[in-house]
Amino acid sequence: MQFSSALLEALLAELTRLPGVGRKSAQRIAFHLLRSPEADSKRLAAAIVDLKANVHDCSICGNVTETDPCVLCTDPRRESTTLCVVEQPMDVLALERTGEFKGRYHVLKGALSPVDGIGPDQLRLRELLNRVDNGGFTEVIVATNPTAQGEATALYIARLLQPKQGVKVTRIARGVPMGSDLEFSDQVTLARALSGRKEI
Amino acid sequence: MQFSSALLEALLAELTRLPGVGRKSAQRIAFHLLRSPEADSKRLAAAIVDLKANVHDCSICGNVTETDPCVLCTDPRRESTTLCVVEQPMDVLALERTGEFKGRYHVLKGALSPVDGIGPDQLRLRELLNRVDNGGFTEVIVATNPTAQGEATALYIARLLQPKQGVKVTRIARGVPMGSDLEFSDQVTLARALSGRKEI
């Protein structure tokens, strides 16, 4: 398909490489940029380049950061006795948004998935063991996703940390999500909610 | 919400200003860029800046272009007797993809919509009249959207061009879309398909 502008085609090609952006979304974005002030395009382009140039992984927790170690690892107001293990940096963001957790994080960078060739060596598990051995943590909260891979990873971590004295390994609760209807909950979630019931 | 990277927050803020990109999509795009090679980010950023710096409206048809007039207006292989009127540059793209139309285009840059303050003066109707007066067109195909605004605009154009001698004004057919099921067609579309029936 030849469009009247090669530069427009070039941008569409770049945009459609992004996750969740199809041909139609790319067109809408491109025409939106054409209608917006030039400063908007420049700011967006600069933000893209800056991100890649300056943001990298924290050497301690594996979260994305501009400083090393990251602010979450160095903040003296956070408790250093609780460690929350998550799959991805996005999960740190989600947990931080709750405002409920004030400990430290550890990003695995994935979950066990043999079919995708992801075994224990592909995850940041050695780093986790090192931190638990030397970090003075009393509780490790495993907050991997409630998926087959996330559950397998949680089990693996629990076994891995079992020999460690004075470290409790816990798993986030799985049950019916807040604001949902019981009738629309799938049976696995509902069974989990029942078996995980608590006295009120 | 404080995330561990201000640059990441800055990019998320820019991305969520784009149409169809919410907070979640912006996060997915940002983390995708972090995982991809730096060259990808640079190419995307350059494409965004290049587009805004070099792509503008064709002074004849109003389509987006790097050259003025655009290739669709200057291509000698296209017939200069048929003019297709559309609302937006994206519509030119959609029609070109069919490969069925070989005439010239005219982009209105919108459709009549009094509630949004868009009257005849906000559209490229004066330019359309000039082209019809001087361009030697024998047919004007009105291909505005089959919406209330698009239909009103089509009617307005038909009345506007009525006094012109030797110029036929036509409207693209509206009916049931190809590949669809009659039972799922809305009643307005189905009524239109019935009234627009043709002998086979």
Side-chain angles (χ1 to χ4, degrees), chain B residues 16 19 22-23 29 43 62 67 70 89 98 111 121 124 126 140-141 143 145 153-154 163 170 176 183 190:
Chain B
T16 46
R23 182 87 193 173
I29 292 173
R43 226 174 29 242
T67 57
C70 75
T98 68
D121 292 341
R124 296 182 67 253
R126 209 180 338 235
V140 174
I141 305 172
N145 287 330
T153 311
T170 57
V176 284
E183 58 171 322
L190 216 47

Side-chain angles (χ1 to χ4, degrees), chain A:
Chain A
M1 207 335 283
Q2 183 231 22
F3 197 34
S4 51
S5 161
L7 290 175
L8 182 59
E9 280 298 333
L11 178 59
L12 292 179
E14 291 301 326
L15 287 173
T16 47
R17 299 170 66 138
L18 300 175
V21 181
R23 181 88 193 173
K24 292 245 160 143
S25 321
Q27 278 180 29
R28 282 176 65 204
I29 292 173
F31 283 104
H32 168 86
L33 290 174
L34 276 173
R35 280 192 303 267
S36 310
E38 188 164 0
D40 285 14
S41 289
K42 286 199 171 147
R43 225 172 33 241
L44 172 61
I48 290 168
V49 170
D50 283 355
L51 180 82
K52 193 63 195 175
N54 298 311
V55 176
H56 42 80
D57 296 348
C58 171
S59 59
I60 298 179
C61 71
N63 191 13
V64 290
T65 177
E66 291 144 51
T67 56
D68 196 10
C70 75
V71 289
L72 294 171
C73 284
T74 51
D75 189 341
R77 286 164 307 178
R78 300 188 76 99
E79 345 160 342
S80 292
T81 52
T82 327
L83 184 65
C84 183
V85 180
V86 295
E87 293 182 18
Q88 298 291 355
M90 268 188 271
D91 304 327
V92 174
L93 185 63
L95 286 164
E96 277 300 283
R97 223 163 10 214
T98 68
E100 289 290 318
F101 181 69
K102 293 287 170 213
R104 307 290 179 185
Y105 287 99
H106 189 83
V107 181
L108 292 175
K109 295 259 160 182
L112 292 176
S113 180
V115 286
D116 300 315
I118 301 176
D121 292 340
Q122 275 70 51
L123 304 179
R124 297 182 68 252
L125 285 168
R126 209 179 338 234
E127 291 87 340
L128 175 63
L129 267 181
N130 274 339
R131 289 184 76 184
V132 171
D133 280 338
N134 309 310
F137 293 109
T138 55
E139 181 176 1
V140 174
I141 305 172
V142 185
T144 51
N145 287 331
T147 57
Q149 292 84 357
E151 295 292 338
T153 310
L155 220 63
Y156 187 92
I157 290 172
R159 291 217 188 110
L160 198 69
L161 300 182
Q162 205 177 10
K164 311 290 168 192
Q165 294 287 319
V167 179
K168 187 168 61 169
V169 181
T170 57
R171 179 89 174 101
I172 51 164
R174 284 135 307 164
V176 284
M178 297 300 289
S180 66
D181 272 341
L182 276 202
E183 57 171 322
F184 300 128
S185 288
D186 63 287
Q187 55 195 30
V188 181
T189 300
L190 217 46
R192 192 64 91 146
L194 273 174
S195 69
R197 68 189 180 279
K198 283 190 173 170
E199 209 168 330
I200 45 175

